[in-house]
Amino acid sequence: MSINLRKTSRNFHLWLSLAIFIPVVVVIGSGLLLQVKKEFDWLQPPTQKALSNAPTISFDTIIEVVQDVPEAKLNSWDDIDRLDVRPDKGIIKVRGKNQWEVQLNATNGEVLLVAYRRTDTIEAIHDGSWFFEGAKLWLFLPAAILLFILWLTGLVMLFTTLKSKYRKRYYRSQQKG
């Protein structure tokens, strides 16, 4: 029975690994980039620091300031994805839907940094939503479930192999003694 279980696990392991190869490589590769995103300014702009005060600039001031940053192309609130307020650093990050980020001093509105932000794209690649509608749910989720099954079949193969080696070693020691 142990040999059949090992053989079945190997077959499952082989075919499942081939079926999920591409999604798993994408998840691992993008995950590695996300692990080091703060180490490389090219991936994620470094967070600037200003005086650590509560924000005092208005929303009107925020939009006026970012409209004056030509490379960001943030012309209205419709172009803005989110505001990331960091009171402890004294800044407001204005993140555009076009992946541009403008970091402002939260008290006077001074532009501290303008940079392209690649991590949102890498996160979308990582979870599968970047590829097509439904890839996250219908391709990457099943690949994750199959990866879990691969892990289980790998454990079965490990266990049966170790058990077999232990038995062989035990029988050899019995024959010598």
Side-chain angles (χ1 to χ4, degrees), residues 124 127-143:
D127 71 14
S129 60
W130 182 81
F131 294 99
F132 60 88
E133 185 73 30
K136 185 177 188 176
L137 186 60
W138 299 107
L139 180 62
F140 281 71
L141 177 62

Side-chain angles (χ1 to χ4, degrees), residues 60-76 102 104 109 111 114:
D60 291 335
T61 304
I62 292 171
I63 195 68
E64 287 170 14
V65 171
V66 297
Q67 285 173 336
D68 290 339
V69 179
E71 59 264 49
K73 295 183 179 129
L74 302 174
N75 300 315
S76 71
V102 179
L104 307 174
V111 175
V114 179

Side-chain angles (χ1 to χ4, degrees), residues 7 20 60 111 175:
K7 209 178 227 186
I20 67 170
D60 291 335
V111 175
Q175 290 175 350

Side-chain angles (χ1 to χ4, degrees), residues 19-115:
I20 67 170
F21 176 76
I22 291 173
V24 169
V25 166
V26 168
V27 168
I28 290 171
S30 59
L32 289 171
L33 286 174
L34 290 171
Q35 286 291 316
V36 298
K37 68 184 179 185
K38 296 203 185 244
E39 308 303 318
F40 298 100
D41 297 349
W42 184 81
L43 293 172
Q44 179 173 308
T47 301
Q48 302 301 300
K49 196 165 185 157
L51 294 176
S52 298
N53 292 328
T56 57
I57 61 173
S58 67
F59 286 118
D60 291 335
T61 304
I62 292 171
I63 195 68
E64 287 170 14
V65 171
V66 297
Q67 285 173 336
D68 290 339
V69 179
E71 59 264 49
K73 295 183 179 129
L74 302 174
N75 300 315
S76 71
W77 285 108
D78 292 335
D79 298 330
I80 295 173
D81 181 43
R82 68 185 77 159
L83 299 179
D84 182 0
V85 180
R86 304 281 177 101
D88 60 323
K89 297 193 183 221
I91 66 159
I92 298 173
K93 293 182 183 183
V94 182
R95 291 171 52 184
K97 291 177 182 174
N98 61 1
Q99 308 303 316
W100 278 89
E101 177 175 289
V102 179
Q103 294 183 23
L104 307 174
N105 183 313
T107 55
N108 64 17
E110 174 191 0
V111 175
L112 302 173
L113 179 76
V114 179

